[in-house]
Amino acid sequence: KQEVTQIPAALSVPEGENLVLNCSFTDSAIYNLQWFRQDPGKGLTSLLLIQSSQREQTSGRLNASLDKSSGRSTLYIAASQPGDSATYLCAAHTGNQFYFGTGTSLTVIP
Amino acid sequence: NAGVTQTPKFQVLKTGQSMTLQCAQDMNHNSMYWYRQDPGMGLRLIYYSASEGTTDKGEVPNGYNVSRLNKREFSLRLESAAPSQTSVYFCASSEASQGTYEQYFGPGTRLTVT
C-alpha cells in the first residue's frame, strides 16, 4: 500500500521568504503526483500536477519537482505572501487510487 | 462550469439515522471518488468508481454504500450513522487527459453524528 508522508506538519515563515515543502512516498510506481492547497473549511484546489515522466512543473511562484527513484516531491514557493497561508497536500496516483499525505500547514507572517 | 458539486454542505444526524450525500460533476469525467477527512489522518478513500456502472472499495468502506447513478452522479449512503462517521466528506472526479489523471474536488459536506 502506498504511504505518503509530508514533513513538516506545520511551518511558519516571514513574508518574502522562499520555502520548500516536502512530500515522500513509498511506492515509486506512480502515474503522477498532484499538489493541492486547502484553506480552512474549504475544499481542495489543485496547484500542480507532475506526470511520472516529468521532473518538474511550474506555475507562477510555484515550482514542483518529482524524483521517482527516491520517492520524493518538493513544492517550492518563491517570495511567500500572507495569502499563501493554507494547508498544502500532496497526493500520489497509484493503481486506481490517489493516496494523500496529511499536509503541511503554512503560515506566512506579514 | 460548476465543476464538482456536493449536497448538503452541512448535516447533523443522530446515531442510527441514515442519509445520502449527493455528488455531481459536469466535466464528463469517467472516474469519481468519495473521501473522508479527519484531523491528523489526511484524506482517506472510502469508495471509488472508475467508470459508469462500476464501484470499488477504498481504504475505509465499512459503514458506507455507494451508487454510481450515471456518468455525472455518484452518491454515498450511510445506512446507520455512528459518531465515528463524524467527518468532512469530499467528492472528487478525474479523467485521463494527455496521460494525466488530475483530480478535481467538491466543496465538501460537514457531517456531525451525535
Side-chain angles (χ1 to χ4, degrees), chain A residues 11-107:
Chain A
L11 182 63
S12 184
V13 300
E15 182 177 1
E17 193 164 296
N18 302 327
L19 58 101
V20 175
L21 307 180
N22 296 296
C23 172
S24 61
F25 47 94
T26 55
D27 185 352
S28 62
I30 62 171
Y31 291 115
N32 61 51
L33 190 128
Q34 194 169 356
W35 282 92
F36 296 88
R37 168 185 173 135
Q38 186 176 29
D39 293 289
K42 304 292 186 183
L44 279 70
T45 301
S46 179
L47 296 173
L48 288 165
L49 180 145
I50 313 174
Q51 296 181 51
S52 62
S53 59
Q54 297 174 322
R55 296 285 292 183
E56 65 178 71
Q57 280 284 349
T58 298
S59 176
R61 294 183 294 109
L62 305 179
N63 176 278
S65 68
L66 175 64
D67 184 342
K68 279 180 54 178
S69 61
S70 66
R72 293 181 181 178
S73 177
T74 62
L75 179 67
Y76 174 83
I77 302 177
S80 58
Q81 303 171 358
D84 294 330
S85 297
T87 296
Y88 292 80
L89 298 116
C90 65
H93 184 190
T94 308
N96 286 328
Q97 301 187 29
F98 293 79
Y99 296 87
F100 283 80
T102 52
T104 294
S105 176
L106 174 66
T107 302

Side-chain angles (χ1 to χ4, degrees), chain B residues 65-82:
Chain B
N65 285 302
V66 290
S67 295
R68 183 72 183 268
L69 305 171
N70 47 55
K71 192 171 186 179
R72 289 187 64 248
E73 298 172 291
F74 189 37
S75 63
L76 178 71
R77 182 162 179 84
L78 286 70
E79 291 291 352
S80 179

Side-chain angles (χ1 to χ4, degrees), chain A residues 1 32 34 36 38 41-44 46 49 51 89 93 96-98 100-102, chain B residues 33 35 37 40-43 45 48 59 90 98 100-103 105-107 110:
Chain A
K1 174 178 173 282
N32 61 51
Q34 194 169 356
F36 296 88
Q38 186 176 29
K42 304 292 186 183
L44 279 70
S46 179
L49 180 145
Q51 296 181 51
L89 298 116
H93 184 190
N96 286 328
Q97 301 187 29
F98 293 79
F100 283 80
T102 52
Chain B
Y33 310 81
Y35 295 91
Q37 185 177 36
M41 300 291 291
L43 274 83
L45 183 66
Y48 66 98
E59 182 183 355
F90 288 102
Q98 299 178 341
T100 69
Y101 288 83
E102 187 168 4
Q103 278 204 308
F105 278 78
R110 284 147 185 83

Side-chain angles (χ1 to χ4, degrees), chain B residues 1 5 8 19-20 26 31 39 43 59-60 62-64 66 69 73-75 79 85 87 91 100 103 112:
Chain B
N1 285 347
T5 57
M19 78 163 294
T20 299
D26 62 3
S31 300
L43 274 83
E59 182 183 355
V60 288
N62 291 345
Y64 305 95
V66 290
L69 305 171
E73 298 172 291
F74 189 37
S75 63
E79 291 291 352
Q85 294 178 305
S87 188
C91 177
T100 69
Q103 278 204 308
T112 301

Side-chain angles (χ1 to χ4, degrees), chain B residues 16-36:
Chain B
Q17 288 184 321
S18 63
M19 78 163 294
T20 299
L21 282 64
Q22 306 287 354
C23 173
Q25 51 91 10
D26 62 3
M27 295 173 283
N28 203 36
H29 286 172
N30 279 315
S31 300
M32 297 185 74
Y33 310 81
W34 276 106
Y35 295 91
R36 60 178 289 172

